[in-house]
Amino acid sequence: KQEVTQIPAALSVPEGENLVLNCSFTDSAIYNLQWFRQDPGKGLTSLLLIQSSQREQTSGRLNASLDKSSGRSTLYIAASQPGDSATYLCAVRNTNAGKSTFGDGTTLTVKP
Amino acid sequence: EAQVTQNPRYLITVTGKKLTVTCSQNMNHEYMSWYRQDPGLGLRQIYYSMNVEVTDKGDVPEGYKVSRKEKRNFPLILESPSPNQTSLYFCASSLSGFSGANVLTFGAGSRLTVL
């Protein structure tokens, strides 16, 4: 059974710092890995999707990498801002068709 | 606007009173899925549908039913709700369940309280 782990569970940084969030998964048979942002009490907003054949994706200040063989992904946030404060979730789409598995998330606080 | 719409957004009900949470998408997506989110347990998949009339269990299907009679709608049915089904529910969809290129798009969530 696929298991997804995110470390750290919480992170607090001063504004302007670069940071890395980690996601690991136990089964490399995946279609893709997707990073989401969730604000308190809100829905999930997709940030980046990396297909299993890709190594990384970039969007603005965000860069996500995928090492499928080692079961790891990282989300790099450059020049963090207070508006980046949220919970970041990673999810893998397993190759047994419809199943998705989510990590528990990393709660990020960026202090002004 | 491309979106996944859930209703109701908030609901307080009592044990045993059947309820349906609707989910509709306007993107012609084949794949749809339901999740629940609980503190300390994260997001867990309840049911998913690869296409019309094709549904399957996720990790926590007990106490729930679904149907997929038309492509745009995927309702979640709680036949006899119990307090342990108090949760935040999310519906999501993507173009296909078989492709790695398809982004999973979420609805805004439905907060359900069962007394």
Side-chain angles (χ1 to χ4, degrees), chain B:
Chain B
E1 180 189 354
Q3 60 186 356
V4 178
T5 303
Q6 297 179 225
N7 281 296
R9 293 289 316 283
Y10 303 91
L11 178 64
I12 300 175
T13 189
V14 297
T15 299
K17 186 175 181 182
K18 180 180 178 180
L19 68 93
T20 299
V21 186
T22 64
C23 174
S24 179
Q25 50 88 9
N26 62 0
M27 298 169 279
N28 201 36
H29 283 176
E30 291 184 348
Y31 177 86
M32 298 185 74
S33 184
W34 276 103
Y35 304 85
R36 61 178 289 175
Q37 186 174 36
D38 302 288
L41 295 175
L43 264 154
R44 294 176 293 168
Q45 193 171 25
I46 304 171
Y47 270 96
Y48 62 92
S49 170
M50 301 298 284
N51 213 327
V52 176
E53 301 290 5
V54 181
T55 63
D56 209 345
K57 296 176 182 178
D59 294 321
V60 288
E62 297 79 18
Y64 304 94
K65 285 176 56 177
V66 293
S67 67
R68 186 94 181 271
K69 292 182 169 42
E70 34 180 6
K71 202 170 190 179
R72 64 182 293 125
N73 295 322
F74 189 43
L76 180 69
I77 303 160
L78 286 73
E79 293 270 2
S80 182
S82 62
N84 65 12
Q85 293 178 297
T86 293
S87 187
L88 180 58
Y89 290 87
F90 288 102
C91 180
S93 72
S94 69
L95 188 59
S96 166
F98 293 106
S99 169
N102 299 148
V103 170
L104 196 58
T105 301
F106 277 77
S110 296
R111 186 167 293 280
L112 171 65
T113 302
V114 183
L115 301 175

Side-chain angles (χ1 to χ4, degrees), chain A residues 1-2 31-34 36 38 40-46 48-52 54 87 89 91 93-104, chain B residues 9-10 31 33 35 37 40-45 48 50 57-59 88 90 93-94 96-109 111:
Chain A
K1 182 184 174 186
Q2 178 77 268
Y31 277 127
N32 63 38
L33 184 144
Q34 196 167 349
F36 295 90
Q38 185 177 27
K42 305 290 187 183
L44 279 72
T45 300
S46 179
L48 289 165
L49 178 144
I50 312 176
Q51 298 181 58
S52 62
Q54 297 174 328
T87 297
L89 296 156
R93 179 76 72 91
N94 304 305
T95 52
N96 83 350
K99 289 211 168 183
S100 300
T101 307
F102 284 76
D104 289 340
Chain B
R9 293 289 316 283
Y10 303 91
Y31 177 86
S33 184
Y35 304 85
Q37 186 174 36
L41 295 175
L43 264 154
R44 294 176 293 168
Q45 193 171 25
Y48 62 92
M50 301 298 284
K57 296 176 182 178
D59 294 321
L88 180 58
F90 288 102
S93 72
S94 69
S96 166
F98 293 106
S99 169
N102 299 148
V103 170
L104 196 58
T105 301
F106 277 77
R111 186 167 293 280

